[in-house]
Amino acid sequence: MLKLGEKGAIIQRDKETYAVAPHIPCGVVTPELLRKIADVAEKYNAQALKITSATRIAIVGLREEDIDNVWKDLDMSPGAAVGLCVRSIRACPGTTFCKLGQQDALGLGMELDKRYHGVDLPGKLKMAVSGCQINCAESWVRDVGLFGKSAGWTLVIGGNVGTNPRIAHELATELSDEQALEKVSQVIEYYKQNASKGERLGKMIERMGFDTVSAALK
């Protein structure tokens, strides 16, 4: 049996088959990409295609002996679905498509994905970018969240879902795109330097105190 995440494969409930989820930055696809994924799923008799909560498309129910050829045919990299790293960045349509958008969530999300997707960290880290205060990308419950207002980006840190959900702390407001990227970089570097192995950002903030963390990140 493959180990969890080995070859980008995740063992399924039957303990015999696997799922793979190619990396699709911010969930933006093309007709050609959809056809490729569908063709691969049919070729290797996948049991299902599942759009995941992280806007990946999982090909479910693959045999272990087919995994290498599946990736060869897809010609795509795996999405960071497991492990102590930056997972796929979630982003809403923002000003690219949505009439309610205040900021370019897709543009900023794509840039964050380019810089950080799969980067190893002390614990898993999830990011979300929402183009307005409605927060369709659920930025308030992510380790690093951004949402747009007319005056710029608001940055929140330390949120998560799970068995003990946590609402993030507001760290900075009225940021430009460049300032938002710089502040996220500071947060990630501080997290790398101060978190214990396996410790989520929110847990680190609880241990150290938000006042201490926010003062260090000013």
Side-chain angles (χ1 to χ4, degrees), residues 32-199:
E32 292 76 19
L33 177 59
L34 291 174
R35 290 188 189 98
K36 180 193 290 188
I37 291 173
D39 288 344
V40 168
E42 288 186 339
K43 180 177 179 180
Y44 295 99
N45 298 310
Q47 296 174 11
L49 290 171
K50 172 67 174 73
I51 298 175
T52 73
S53 58
T55 63
R56 293 181 288 262
I57 301 177
I59 306 174
V60 182
L62 299 169
R63 297 177 300 177
E64 180 178 344
E65 58 266 30
D66 291 330
I67 298 297
D68 288 336
N69 287 328
V70 164
W71 285 118
K72 181 179 178 181
D73 289 354
L74 286 171
D75 191 27
M76 300 171 69
S77 60
V82 297
L84 305 182
C85 65
V86 179
R87 306 295 178 83
S88 295
I89 284 74
R90 295 179 61 162
C92 77
T95 52
T96 307
F97 301 111
C98 182
K99 67 180 181 179
L100 300 177
Q102 296 288 305
Q103 298 292 332
D104 181 11
L106 271 183
L108 190 62
M110 287 289 196
E111 182 60 33
L112 288 169
D113 187 279
K114 185 189 305 180
R115 295 187 183 195
Y116 297 114
H117 175 254
V119 170
D120 291 332
L121 289 174
K124 67 179 177 182
L125 188 139
K126 298 183 178 183
M127 297 192 208
V129 188
S130 301
C132 78
Q133 295 181 77
I134 294 174
N135 268 278
C136 289
E138 301 177 349
S139 304
W140 277 107
V141 286
R142 297 290 173 258
D143 299 273
V144 174
L146 289 151
F147 59 89
K149 298 181 180 180
S150 59
W153 293 103
T154 295
L155 172 63
V156 298
I157 61 171
N160 62 258
V161 292
T163 56
N164 294 298
R166 182 185 291 107
I167 301 297
H169 298 270
E170 185 177 297
L171 182 66
T173 60
E174 298 186 6
L175 302 172
S176 66
D177 287 2
E178 293 75 19
Q179 289 171 330
L181 290 168
E182 175 60 29
K183 188 62 71 175
V184 169
S185 175
Q186 292 176 10
V187 170
I188 290 177
E189 188 59 34
Y190 188 80
Y191 175 55
K192 287 170 64 176
Q193 292 175 1
N194 291 279
S196 303
K197 186 173 181 180
E199 186 178 44

